[in-house]
């Protein structure tokens, strides 16, 4: 059954608006070419969207061109303002953008553990209001929040947890009270990071992959067939609780100590670095990321002998008998070839860390067969290709399933980026469809 005229108009309008978001300002002729619509249909939708205040003339195509065909149309970016928050146990970071996602203001505030729930909430709300003022806006249309912890799929609310500050759960209600016109929503931080890596980062070419978050906390996000999977209780990806060898015990229902987190969480990685004599880069947050970054820097151009086979390992084509032993520069290079003690210590540290990370990655691969795992978070980004390659080499020996292992392109910034992308999508869905 053909679409009704009103439905056809709505589809055409959304198609044009989507192109203007992706491509930037376009002429009517360019819209006609990209949409495949007729000239009269494009003229109608341009008139309709202009009257609705969604698009406007923003310039002309070419300095010498004049007339209606040269007009460039763009989305009215100031039609709505958005905010994205990255909520951590030790503070809040916020950005404010226009409707197309251009960042207008940024702010952050540290929140100490002894601040108290009420003062902590007030500090967090105040930094949002400050960023809004700096952006030159008087109201927010949509607010997206990324936070650690489980999100209840039925209510969309952050579930109570004794491990997280009480002000986290109070923040959403407080923002809604102070910003009554805004649409406020919260999502798990790792899930948002995965969405950002899919749209703008390391997984742009994948519709199925797993993001392994290595930072202050440990988590995973699962994207299958282009969709984020949350699970029945919202707990998909709580890999920190995965029982693994090499820990002192087993995790409990309320504490992931003894689980995978005990091997790759920031405190464990910092301790591992200290055991290998690695000095973190000053000012790094978390310290573990500074230690990993220092190790990668110490290696410089001295890659292990197996580095030449990176492309093969990436495709999962290295036969088990030919794969690198993964024991590091000192063991793989001929005697006397590597003389820098710092490089030797760095390689051994990254090898030991890769041994740990590979345990969790292999478990994910065995269950989901995602074809690609992105090492995200501050530690994953700090490790870059040096860590990803080492994990990849171990995975080739541990699993028969071909799997790419990639470093994050966004690192710790992925949470804020994911929150902004979801806020923008929600605002545009509402504004572009409300006609």
């Amino acid at each position: 059954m053909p679409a009704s005229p009103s439905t056809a108009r709505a589809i055409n309008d959304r198609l044009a608006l989507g192109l203007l978001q992706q491509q930037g300002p376009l002429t009517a002729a360019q819209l006609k070419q990209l949409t495949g619509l007729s000239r009269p249909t494009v003229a109608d939708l341009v008139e309709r969207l202009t009257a609705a205040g969604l698009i406007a003339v923003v310039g002309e195509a070419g300095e010498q061109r004049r007339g209606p065909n040269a007009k460039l149309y763009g989305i009215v970016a100031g039609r709505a303002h958005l905010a994205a928050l990255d909520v951590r146990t030790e503070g809040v970071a916020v950005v404010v953008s226009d409707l197309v996602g251009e960042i207008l203001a940024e702010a952050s505030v540290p929140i100490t553990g002894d601040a108290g729930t009420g003062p902590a909430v007030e500090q967090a709300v105040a930094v949002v209001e400050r960023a809004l003022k700096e952006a030159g806006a008087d109201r927010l249309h949509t607010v997206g929040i990324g936070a650690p912890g489980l999100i209840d799929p039925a209510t969309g609310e952050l579930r109570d947890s004794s491990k997280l500050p009480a002000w986290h759960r109070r923040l959403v209600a407080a923002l809604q009270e102070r910003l009554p016109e805004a649409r406020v929503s919260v999502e798990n931080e790792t899930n948002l990071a995965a969405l950002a890596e899919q749209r703008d980062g390391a997984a742009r070419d994948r519709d199925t992959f797993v993001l392994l978050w290595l930072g202050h906390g440990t988590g995973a996000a699962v994207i299958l067939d282009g969709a984020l999977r949350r699970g029945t209780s919202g707990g998909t990806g709580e890999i920190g609780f995965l029982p693994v060898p090499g820990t002192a015990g087993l995790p409990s229902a309320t504490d992931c100590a003894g689980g995978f987190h005990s091997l790759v969480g920031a405190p464990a990685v910092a301790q591992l670095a200290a055991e290998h004599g690695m000095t973190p880069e000053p000012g790094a947050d978390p310290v573990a990321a500074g230690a990993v970054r220092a190790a990668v820097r110490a290696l410089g151009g001295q890659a292990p002998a197996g580095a030449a086979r990176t492309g093969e390992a990436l495709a999962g084509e290295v036969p088990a008998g030919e794969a690198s032993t993964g024991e590091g520069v000192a063991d793989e290079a001929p005697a006397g070839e590597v003389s820098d003690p710092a490089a030797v210590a760095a390689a051994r540290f990254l090898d030991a860390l890769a041994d740990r990370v590979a345990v969790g990655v292999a478990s994910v691969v065995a269950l989901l067969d995602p074809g690609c795992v992105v090492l995200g978070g501050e530690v994953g980004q700090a490790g870059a290709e040096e860590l990803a390659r080492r994990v990849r080499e171990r995975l080739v020996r541990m699993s028969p399933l071909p799997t790419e292992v990639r470093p994050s392109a966004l690192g710790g910034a992925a949470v804020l980026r994911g929150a902004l992308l979801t806020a923008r999508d929600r605002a545009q869905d509402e504004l572009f469809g409300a006609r």
Side-chain angles (χ1 to χ4, degrees):
M1 177 181 297
S4 67
S6 60
T7 300
R9 285 194 295 270
I11 293 172
N12 292 340
D13 289 356
R14 192 58 195 265
L15 176 60
L17 288 164
L19 287 169
L20 291 170
Q21 172 65 56
Q22 296 166 11
Q23 306 281 339
L26 298 168
T27 64
Q30 290 170 326
L31 283 170
K32 174 182 178 297
Q33 180 182 9
L34 292 170
T35 62
L37 299 173
S38 68
R39 188 181 302 275
T41 299
V42 170
D44 287 343
L45 74 82
V46 166
E47 181 179 357
R48 197 163 50 246
L49 295 176
T50 301
L54 294 176
I55 68 173
V57 176
V58 295
E60 291 188 336
E63 295 181 0
Q64 305 303 320
R65 300 188 60 184
R66 295 292 184 270
N69 291 334
K71 291 180 178 178
L72 278 170
Y73 295 92
I75 293 174
V76 178
R79 177 69 183 269
H81 291 89
L82 323 169
L85 282 72
D86 182 0
V87 178
R88 305 290 180 100
T89 56
E90 71 284 355
V92 175
V94 58
V95 297
V96 173
S97 83
D98 59 25
L99 184 57
V100 297
E102 182 179 351
I103 294 176
L104 305 175
E106 303 177 62
S108 63
V109 62
I111 298 178
T112 61
D114 57 358
T117 300
V121 170
E122 181 58 33
Q123 284 181 273
V125 173
V127 77
V128 175
E129 294 176 330
R130 187 177 85 222
L132 180 62
K133 183 178 181 180
E134 291 176 0
D138 57 0
R139 64 174 62 87
L140 288 170
H141 182 281
T142 306
V143 178
I145 303 172
L150 298 180
I151 308 300
D152 189 324
T155 65
E157 296 178 354
L158 189 64
R159 290 171 53 181
D160 191 15
S161 171
S162 60
K163 293 296 180 181
L164 297 175
W167 64 267
H168 280 201
R169 296 189 72 243
R170 291 272 304 277
L171 180 58
V172 174
L175 284 170
Q176 196 67 78
E177 181 179 345
R178 295 272 279 272
L179 305 167
E181 298 180 356
R183 293 79 171 158
V184 182
S185 63
V186 61
E187 177 60 271
N188 173 267
E189 58 178 355
T190 308
N191 288 344
L192 289 176
L195 293 174
E197 294 285 359
Q198 184 184 35
R199 297 271 285 273
D200 295 335
R204 287 190 300 271
D205 60 336
R206 306 290 308 197
D207 63 0
T208 294
F209 73 99
V210 170
L211 173 80
L212 180 61
W213 184 267
L214 303 170
H216 285 284
T218 307
V222 178
I223 306 287
L224 296 179
D225 300 323
L228 176 67
R229 308 296 179 173
R230 294 179 174 83
T232 302
S233 63
T236 294
E238 288 297 313
I239 197 172
F241 286 88
L242 178 72
V244 292
T247 64
L250 292 173
S252 69
T254 58
D255 192 347
C256 58
F260 185 52
H261 177 75
S262 295
L263 293 182
V264 299
V269 175
Q271 181 179 348
L272 183 67
E275 292 171 358
H276 285 81
M278 294 304 305
T279 301
E281 291 186 347
D285 182 29
V287 172
V292 172
R293 194 175 296 110
V296 171
R297 185 166 296 179
L299 285 176
Q302 301 184 70
R309 296 196 297 271
T310 295
E312 296 175 318
L314 191 66
E317 297 174 352
V318 180
E322 298 178 17
S324 162
T325 62
E327 294 301 319
V329 172
D331 296 320
E332 293 189 314
E337 184 175 327
V338 178
S339 58
D340 183 1
V344 173
R348 287 176 172 165
F349 164 54
L350 291 177
D351 284 336
L353 178 57
D355 286 339
R356 296 182 175 193
V357 174
V359 172
V361 172
S363 299
V364 166
V365 169
L367 287 172
L368 297 175
D369 187 18
C372 178
V373 175
V374 175
L375 303 184
E378 296 87 354
V379 171
Q381 185 187 44
E385 180 59 24
E386 284 288 348
L387 179 60
R389 177 183 54 75
R390 284 170 162 81
V391 174
R392 189 186 308 131
E393 290 174 349
R394 286 152 177 77
L395 187 61
V396 167
R397 301 196 302 271
M398 296 169 70
S399 172
L401 306 177
T403 306
E404 298 184 41
V405 180
R406 303 176 178 179
S408 165
L410 302 175
V415 176
L416 206 53
R417 181 61 183 161
L420 183 59
L421 287 169
T422 55
R424 190 186 74 186
D425 288 348
R426 287 168 182 155
Q428 291 186 356
D429 284 343
E430 179 175 329
L431 293 172
F432 292 174
R435 287 173 297 100

